[in-house]
Amino acid sequence: MISSSVLLDGGDEVECSILRFPDLDLKDPLPLTAKSNLKAESDTSERKKYAFAKKKAFALFVKAKEVPATACCPPAVCRAGLGWKCCRQTFKDLTGIHIHVATQHSSDIQQQTGLILKQLAAEARTSSNPASADETGSLSSPTCNIQELSYRLPDTNHISFDELTSGVGEVLLYYCYHEVKDPLRLCAWQKSLCQHLHLTGKVRIASEGINGTVGGSKVATSLYIQAMLSHPLFKTILCREDFKSSAGGAHCFPDLRVGVFEEIVPLGINPNKVSYKETGIHLSPEEFHKEVEKYLSQAPQAQSDTILLDCRNFYESKIGHFQGCLAPDIRKFSYFPSYVDENLELFKNKRVLMYCTGGIRCERGSAYLRTKAACREVYQLKGGIHKYLEEFPDGFYRGKLFVFDQRYTISSNEDIIAECRYCGTLWDQYRVCSSQHCRQLVLTCPSCHAKGFTACCPICQEKGLKLASNPSGWMVKEECECTDRRQRVPVKHM
């Protein structure tokens, strides 16, 4: 997720960051939005604006990765008492973090560049037509200074540092679909809010809304919820029940990442083409439980007029799912549309009961399914598995619930439904593949792990050994080779 820095007093702090690397040149094409709106290829002036926006985006990203020297390396080693952390790696100098960002996050920089260009265009329109400016000083206006951001942060003067950062912790999960006129402004406020409360996690913002998961002390997360519920954008839409919580804390995330994207959940389709406003019918956990009970009572389920559809990734459904579900063997949610397209006959004239972790993927997934006009009805679990397990910890969902943080799983029952990748014994605790080039998760039991079976597949095991014998080369992450042989859209009943 792209991170962004607070734009203070017109971006003076950002300008200082930009001056550190005046010769930066990332050679990737203009984003499509910039191409269509600014015609940078033929207009020298616009190309200069694009170059400025790209450097600014790069500076924001790098600055967001700054950490105090004591957190990653001694002050005597790190430049100006600072270090940088990104992708679970520590960098002691600007050159290292610049190379990493340029090679690993070019798409993030490109996306943020387009958003900055939009902001510049909006500021230009406002300056040419002052009457159109928002005189209320709200976060929907084109400029935002430190006074505004501070005004909207919760008062913590009565709370000690220890109370705010230690004690019992938790992780919050939430989302809200709502039109956001100025995503960059909301991004700046979110980052300030999380830093103010010493929260870590990931917050994804777009013109269609916000999607976040943050961890910290219960004192801090409570203040975070209060701030969200009092924000002008969300106070009439969000409620406390929209925030799912589980045991955890700030340690569950390596850092804080707040950024602006085209979608708050990456389906890979423009939100204007498949909108959350066309979503399926929401069912409460109790209603969904009754529907699943009715579905499971039908035999055989393969001939039922109902499909219980898990729209998560294969590694999530592998360790936990609803009994009798259909679990697509997909690695990313952006593959879900392809799965639907290639299996339309499967959904023809069916009632579909959809579910995911917290509900957000079902919002866009059900909307996409409805655009195909194949299903008779489309329903989705409101609040996702998270809310269902709060009411039915021993219900029809068995196994663990996968979460996208360093815990990997949370559980409500003792069931283990997955197996060790190597020996087949029951095991559901994920580890990251030991081959440094890989991003995959692997189920390897303690016995197999002790024997050296630590990679997600034999190919990675072999590549990991080769890389270990020659550690001096520059390491670039890539997808595991074994994923090339994966079928992305097969039908799999569980």
Short mmCIF file of all heavy atoms in Angstrom, two decimals, residues 400-424:
data_model
loop_
_atom_site.label_atom_id
_atom_site.label_comp_id
_atom_site.label_asym_id
_atom_site.label_seq_id
_atom_site.Cartn_x
_atom_site.Cartn_y
_atom_site.Cartn_z
N LYS A 400 -9.49 -21.76 10.84
CA LYS A 400 -8.99 -20.44 11.22
C LYS A 400 -9.46 -19.37 10.23
O LYS A 400 -9.81 -19.66 9.08
CB LYS A 400 -7.46 -20.44 11.27
CG LYS A 400 -6.84 -21.49 12.18
CD LYS A 400 -7.14 -21.23 13.65
CE LYS A 400 -6.27 -22.09 14.57
NZ LYS A 400 -6.50 -23.53 14.40
N LEU A 401 -9.43 -18.13 10.69
CA LEU A 401 -9.71 -16.99 9.83
C LEU A 401 -8.39 -16.30 9.49
O LEU A 401 -7.68 -15.82 10.38
CB LEU A 401 -10.65 -16.00 10.52
CG LEU A 401 -10.89 -14.66 9.80
CD1 LEU A 401 -11.50 -14.90 8.43
CD2 LEU A 401 -11.78 -13.76 10.65
N PHE A 402 -8.05 -16.28 8.21
CA PHE A 402 -6.81 -15.63 7.77
C PHE A 402 -6.96 -14.12 7.88
O PHE A 402 -7.99 -13.55 7.51
CB PHE A 402 -6.49 -16.01 6.33
CG PHE A 402 -5.17 -15.47 5.85
CD1 PHE A 402 -4.02 -16.21 5.98
CD2 PHE A 402 -5.09 -14.20 5.29
CE1 PHE A 402 -2.79 -15.71 5.54
CE2 PHE A 402 -3.88 -13.68 4.85
CZ PHE A 402 -2.72 -14.45 4.98
N VAL A 403 -5.91 -13.45 8.39
CA VAL A 403 -5.89 -11.99 8.46
C VAL A 403 -4.59 -11.48 7.84
O VAL A 403 -3.57 -12.16 7.88
CB VAL A 403 -6.02 -11.48 9.91
CG1 VAL A 403 -7.41 -11.73 10.44
CG2 VAL A 403 -4.98 -12.13 10.83
N PHE A 404 -4.65 -10.28 7.26
CA PHE A 404 -3.50 -9.74 6.53
C PHE A 404 -2.61 -8.91 7.44
O PHE A 404 -2.40 -7.71 7.23
CB PHE A 404 -3.99 -8.92 5.33
CG PHE A 404 -4.61 -9.76 4.26
CD1 PHE A 404 -5.97 -10.01 4.26
CD2 PHE A 404 -3.84 -10.31 3.25
CE1 PHE A 404 -6.55 -10.79 3.28
CE2 PHE A 404 -4.40 -11.09 2.26
CZ PHE A 404 -5.76 -11.34 2.27
N ASP A 405 -2.06 -9.54 8.44
CA ASP A 405 -1.06 -8.92 9.29
C ASP A 405 -0.14 -10.02 9.81
O ASP A 405 -0.23 -11.16 9.37
CB ASP A 405 -1.69 -8.10 10.42
CG ASP A 405 -2.61 -8.92 11.32
OD1 ASP A 405 -2.14 -9.94 11.86
OD2 ASP A 405 -3.78 -8.56 11.51
N GLN A 406 0.75 -9.68 10.71
CA GLN A 406 1.77 -10.63 11.12
C GLN A 406 1.24 -11.75 12.03
O GLN A 406 1.98 -12.67 12.37
CB GLN A 406 2.93 -9.88 11.81
CG GLN A 406 3.65 -8.97 10.83
CD GLN A 406 4.84 -8.25 11.44
OE1 GLN A 406 5.04 -8.25 12.64
NE2 GLN A 406 5.62 -7.60 10.58
N ARG A 407 -0.04 -11.70 12.39
CA ARG A 407 -0.63 -12.82 13.11
C ARG A 407 -0.98 -13.96 12.15
O ARG A 407 -1.01 -15.11 12.52
CB ARG A 407 -1.91 -12.37 13.84
CG ARG A 407 -1.70 -11.33 14.92
CD ARG A 407 -3.03 -10.80 15.42
NE ARG A 407 -3.80 -10.16 14.36
CZ ARG A 407 -5.06 -9.76 14.48
NH1 ARG A 407 -5.71 -9.94 15.63
NH2 ARG A 407 -5.68 -9.18 13.48
N TYR A 408 -1.31 -13.60 10.92
CA TYR A 408 -1.76 -14.51 9.85
C TYR A 408 -3.14 -15.12 10.11
O TYR A 408 -3.94 -15.24 9.19
CB TYR A 408 -0.74 -15.64 9.60
CG TYR A 408 0.55 -15.17 8.99
CD1 TYR A 408 1.77 -15.44 9.58
CD2 TYR A 408 0.56 -14.42 7.82
CE1 TYR A 408 2.96 -15.00 9.03
CE2 TYR A 408 1.73 -13.97 7.26
CZ TYR A 408 2.93 -14.26 7.87
OH TYR A 408 4.11 -13.81 7.31
N THR A 409 -3.41 -15.56 11.33
CA THR A 409 -4.71 -16.19 11.60
C THR A 409 -5.25 -15.76 12.96
O THR A 409 -4.50 -15.39 13.86
CB THR A 409 -4.61 -17.73 11.61
OG1 THR A 409 -3.76 -18.15 12.68
CG2 THR A 409 -4.08 -18.26 10.30
N ILE A 410 -6.60 -15.81 13.07
CA ILE A 410 -7.26 -15.74 14.36
C ILE A 410 -8.26 -16.89 14.38
O ILE A 410 -8.70 -17.37 13.33
CB ILE A 410 -7.98 -14.39 14.59
CG1 ILE A 410 -8.96 -14.07 13.45
CG2 ILE A 410 -6.97 -13.27 14.72
CD1 ILE A 410 -9.70 -12.76 13.66
N SER A 411 -8.60 -17.37 15.56
CA SER A 411 -9.44 -18.56 15.63
C SER A 411 -10.56 -18.40 16.64
O SER A 411 -10.45 -17.64 17.61
CB SER A 411 -8.59 -19.78 16.01
OG SER A 411 -8.00 -19.59 17.29
N SER A 412 -11.66 -19.09 16.39
CA SER A 412 -12.79 -19.12 17.32
C SER A 412 -13.11 -20.55 17.73
O SER A 412 -13.93 -20.78 18.61
CB SER A 412 -14.03 -18.49 16.66
OG SER A 412 -14.45 -19.27 15.55
N ASN A 413 -12.48 -21.53 17.08
CA ASN A 413 -12.66 -22.93 17.44
C ASN A 413 -11.32 -23.65 17.29
O ASN A 413 -10.35 -23.08 16.83
CB ASN A 413 -13.74 -23.59 16.56
CG ASN A 413 -13.45 -23.46 15.08
OD1 ASN A 413 -12.48 -24.04 14.56
ND2 ASN A 413 -14.28 -22.70 14.35
N GLU A 414 -11.29 -24.89 17.70
CA GLU A 414 -10.03 -25.64 17.72
C GLU A 414 -9.81 -26.47 16.45
O GLU A 414 -8.85 -27.23 16.36
CB GLU A 414 -10.01 -26.58 18.94
CG GLU A 414 -10.08 -25.85 20.28
CD GLU A 414 -8.94 -24.86 20.47
OE1 GLU A 414 -7.80 -25.22 20.11
OE2 GLU A 414 -9.19 -23.75 20.98
N ASP A 415 -10.69 -26.34 15.48
CA ASP A 415 -10.58 -27.14 14.26
C ASP A 415 -9.31 -26.80 13.48
O ASP A 415 -8.94 -25.62 13.35
CB ASP A 415 -11.78 -26.90 13.35
CG ASP A 415 -13.05 -27.53 13.90
OD1 ASP A 415 -12.97 -28.14 14.98
OD2 ASP A 415 -14.10 -27.39 13.27
N ILE A 416 -8.66 -27.82 12.96
CA ILE A 416 -7.56 -27.66 12.00
C ILE A 416 -7.96 -28.43 10.75
O ILE A 416 -8.12 -29.64 10.79
CB ILE A 416 -6.24 -28.20 12.56
CG1 ILE A 416 -5.85 -27.45 13.83
CG2 ILE A 416 -5.13 -28.09 11.51
CD1 ILE A 416 -4.58 -27.96 14.49
N ILE A 417 -8.15 -27.73 9.66
CA ILE A 417 -8.65 -28.38 8.45
C ILE A 417 -7.60 -28.43 7.34
O ILE A 417 -7.84 -29.04 6.29
CB ILE A 417 -9.92 -27.69 7.92
CG1 ILE A 417 -9.60 -26.26 7.48
CG2 ILE A 417 -11.01 -27.69 8.99
CD1 ILE A 417 -10.75 -25.58 6.77
N ALA A 418 -6.46 -27.77 7.54
CA ALA A 418 -5.41 -27.75 6.52
C ALA A 418 -4.32 -28.76 6.86
O ALA A 418 -4.29 -29.33 7.95
CB ALA A 418 -4.82 -26.35 6.40
N GLU A 419 -3.42 -28.98 5.91
CA GLU A 419 -2.35 -29.98 6.08
C GLU A 419 -0.99 -29.38 5.78
O GLU A 419 -0.87 -28.42 5.02
CB GLU A 419 -2.59 -31.17 5.13
CG GLU A 419 -3.88 -31.90 5.36
CD GLU A 419 -4.08 -33.00 4.34
OE1 GLU A 419 -3.33 -33.01 3.32
OE2 GLU A 419 -4.97 -33.84 4.52
N CYS A 420 0.03 -30.00 6.37
CA CYS A 420 1.41 -29.65 6.07
C CYS A 420 1.66 -29.92 4.58
O CYS A 420 1.28 -30.96 4.05
CB CYS A 420 2.37 -30.46 6.92
SG CYS A 420 4.11 -30.30 6.44
N ARG A 421 2.32 -28.99 3.91
CA ARG A 421 2.56 -29.12 2.48
C ARG A 421 3.44 -30.32 2.14
O ARG A 421 3.38 -30.86 1.04
CB ARG A 421 3.23 -27.83 1.98
CG ARG A 421 3.29 -27.73 0.46
CD ARG A 421 4.70 -27.66 0.00
NE ARG A 421 4.75 -27.49 -1.43
CZ ARG A 421 4.74 -28.50 -2.30
NH1 ARG A 421 4.62 -29.74 -1.87
NH2 ARG A 421 4.82 -28.28 -3.60
N TYR A 422 4.26 -30.77 3.11
CA TYR A 422 5.23 -31.81 2.83
C TYR A 422 4.83 -33.20 3.32
O TYR A 422 5.01 -34.19 2.62
CB TYR A 422 6.59 -31.42 3.41
CG TYR A 422 7.24 -30.28 2.66
CD1 TYR A 422 7.09 -28.97 3.09
CD2 TYR A 422 7.95 -30.52 1.49
CE1 TYR A 422 7.65 -27.91 2.39
CE2 TYR A 422 8.52 -29.47 0.78
CZ TYR A 422 8.37 -28.17 1.22
OH TYR A 422 8.92 -27.14 0.51
N CYS A 423 4.27 -33.29 4.53
CA CYS A 423 3.98 -34.62 5.07
C CYS A 423 2.50 -34.93 5.21
O CYS A 423 2.12 -36.08 5.47
CB CYS A 423 4.68 -34.81 6.42
SG CYS A 423 3.96 -33.83 7.76
N GLY A 424 1.64 -33.92 5.09
CA GLY A 424 0.21 -34.16 5.13
C GLY A 424 -0.41 -34.17 6.51
O GLY A 424 -1.62 -34.36 6.64
#
